[in-house]
Amino acid sequence: MSGMNADAAGNIPAARRRHGMILFGLNALYVGFGMIMGVVNGGLPTVMRAQGIDISTAGWIYLLYLPFGLTFLWAPLIDRLRLPFLSRRIGWIVTMQAIAVLGLVIVAFSEGAAPLVLFLLGFGVVLAIATMDIALDALAVRVVAPDWRSTASATKLAALSIGTMIGGGVFVALAGDLGWQATFLVLSLVLVFLLCPVLTLGKLDELTGAGADAPESIGGASLLRLLRDAKLRKRLIFLCIACSIMFPLVGLNRLMLVDIGVPVSEIGWIVGTLGPLSMLLISAVSIPLMRCLGLVRSMLIFATVAFAAIVAMAFGFAFQNQLAGIGGAIAVGAGVSGVYVTIATKILGWSAGTQPATDYAAYYGISRFASTLMTVAAAQIVPLVNWGLFYGGGAIALLVMVVLLLVLIGRND
């Protein structure tokens, strides 16, 4: 009996080491994913606005987010098809990351090209990264044990925060000093470096899958089959509404800071670094918070932080108070990220079926698609009203979102 107890005790450190290796491999790639998202979200629009481009025009750059929201259309291919090398999901991950790296190298040597050409190249890079992310999420659903899901969600936020700090902070602050070519070549090299750790997870990918050559589900993955489920449709509606409220409030705040006179370099160094650092803090706090208080109470705490941040940004604009505006811009990202950690924890569990890429893409992708369109629309609306009215409406919408999430997260389904 004592020998059995010793074996059980010995398995605990082994399980921790195993999941430590898993989370390291997954989160290295999430850093790269966050880096590209940071460039799209916090980098390019901020630089464009500072160069005198109006808000509505700068807002169109958020269309580069569309691939993140459309991956549900081709996610079934990730579940159904296996590429002729490496394991089922890692083969897709390596291929898509390589395409993204190639795209960044081409962009590096395309300085001065027509804006449409650069947009199409950027769209191709984002498309590849978004597809990589779907395969990566499917791998996470397969290899992360149920009792590690909250930790996986929190560490994913931390990895995305680090990536966002690079793409939305360092990119903005140093782009002028490094130059176009060097900046994008450095981004491509970082993506290559971050790919290496996931290559160690090939055996786990195969062991937890349905077999080396068999499709993930009988008859293949089907988005239509999944969408016919009434419970899924209800979840999707709630998620779409919540994300369409949260992400415009986070995505446009740097444009507001430019409008109240905050220099771009300060936005890059202060908001671009302290914002992700606050998200890192949230990721560390959220793990014990969710375990001690549960998802619902944790979500309410994070939503309160987001609400206070919106009030601070409205105050900053109304009174041209840069300190309040910057503080609110940093805090709103932390609050919204905390809310999304609670949502992501549920999504990991919802996706643990026979077609993880398709299921995860449906939850994440469709809600992201809706929030992208809403962010672009919000950028067109702000010039017609003002930032004060925008944040006032956002505060009211946040309260509506909290009620919806209480219904969604409070369920045991």
Side-chain angles (χ1 to χ4, degrees):
M1 181 68 69
S2 59
M4 293 177 62
N5 291 335
D7 291 339
N11 286 333
I12 295 176
R16 289 177 178 171
R17 286 194 300 269
R18 176 176 178 271
H19 271 84
M21 179 182 69
I22 289 171
L23 295 180
F24 180 71
L26 297 175
N27 288 321
L29 282 168
Y30 283 130
V31 169
F33 178 74
M35 185 173 68
I36 299 300
M37 289 185 68
V39 171
V40 174
N41 184 41
L44 296 179
T46 304
V47 173
M48 291 172 64
R49 179 62 177 152
Q51 292 175 346
I53 297 175
D54 60 82
I55 295 173
S56 60
T57 301
W60 286 108
I61 200 69
Y62 291 102
L63 286 177
L64 287 175
Y65 258 119
L66 283 180
F68 297 130
L70 292 173
T71 48
F72 65 90
L73 295 176
W74 58 88
L77 293 177
I78 306 295
D79 282 321
R80 184 181 298 120
L81 300 179
R82 177 195 173 116
L83 299 180
F85 57 90
L86 300 175
S87 60
R88 181 181 299 279
R89 284 153 287 268
I90 291 178
W92 280 100
I93 290 170
V94 171
T95 300
M96 293 298 107
Q97 190 88 339
I99 293 173
V101 168
L102 177 61
L104 287 174
V105 171
I106 295 174
V107 170
F109 291 97
S110 300
E111 184 177 6
L116 179 59
V117 172
L118 292 175
F119 181 87
L120 292 176
L121 287 171
F123 195 86
V125 171
V126 174
L127 184 65
I129 285 292
T131 305
M132 182 283 298
D133 181 59
I134 289 300
L136 181 61
D137 288 332
L139 179 63
V141 169
R142 283 297 188 183
V143 301
V144 175
D147 56 346
W148 280 80
R149 285 172 183 160
S150 60
T151 302
S153 297
T155 55
K156 176 180 178 178
L157 172 61
L160 291 174
S161 302
I162 293 171
T164 301
M165 190 186 307
I166 298 171
V170 177
F171 176 87
V172 174
L174 295 183
D177 296 329
L178 291 179
W180 177 280
Q181 187 177 106
T183 298
F184 283 98
L185 287 177
V186 168
L187 289 176
S188 64
L189 287 174
V190 173
L191 287 186
V192 172
F193 175 76
L194 294 173
L195 178 64
C196 297
V198 82
L199 298 177
T200 64
L201 304 183
K203 291 183 178 180
L204 292 175
D205 186 17
E206 293 290 19
L207 289 174
T208 55
D213 300 308
E216 290 287 356
S217 58
I218 298 174
S222 170
L223 181 62
L224 292 178
R225 174 166 59 85
L226 184 146
L227 290 177
R228 283 194 292 265
D229 186 279
K231 182 184 294 185
L232 170 62
R233 289 198 303 271
K234 184 180 295 185
R235 292 171 179 169
L236 279 176
I237 292 171
F238 283 5
L239 283 174
C240 286
I241 294 173
C243 291
S244 294
I245 292 170
M246 290 190 295
F247 288 101
L249 292 172
V250 175
L252 300 179
N253 55 42
R254 298 188 188 196
L255 302 183
M256 181 273 294
L257 294 178
V258 173
D259 286 354
I260 64 174
V262 181
V264 172
S265 59
E266 289 187 19
I267 294 174
W269 284 120
I270 299 176
V271 180
T273 55
L274 291 183
L277 282 174
S278 70
M279 293 163 63
L280 278 172
L281 176 63
I282 289 294
S283 69
V285 170
S286 63
I287 298 174
L289 201 62
M290 287 187 292
R291 288 179 176 174
C292 294
L293 301 181
L295 295 183
V296 171
R297 291 178 180 174
S298 299
M299 184 270 291
L300 288 174
I301 292 173
F302 296 134
T304 301
V305 173
F307 185 85
I310 293 171
V311 172
M313 288 190 291
F315 177 87
F317 173 76
F319 295 95
Q320 296 294 294
N321 188 311
Q322 294 185 1
L323 182 61
I326 290 173
I330 292 171
V332 73
V336 166
S337 296
V339 172
Y340 201 75
V341 166
T342 62
I343 297 174
T345 301
K346 296 287 283 188
I347 292 176
L348 278 175
W350 293 338
S351 304
T354 57
Q355 47 181 42
T358 301
D359 291 3
Y360 198 98
Y363 290 118
Y364 177 84
I366 295 176
S367 60
R368 172 63 74 179
F369 176 72
S371 65
T372 298
L373 295 181
M374 186 59 71
T375 302
V376 174
Q380 313 309 308
I381 292 172
V382 168
L384 302 178
V385 290
N386 59 57
W387 288 108
L389 290 176
F390 172 74
Y391 287 124
I396 296 172
L398 183 69
L399 295 177
V400 174
M401 181 204 76
V402 169
V403 174
L404 291 175
L405 289 182
L406 282 174
V407 175
L408 179 66
I409 298 178
R411 294 177 181 270
N412 293 322
D413 55 1

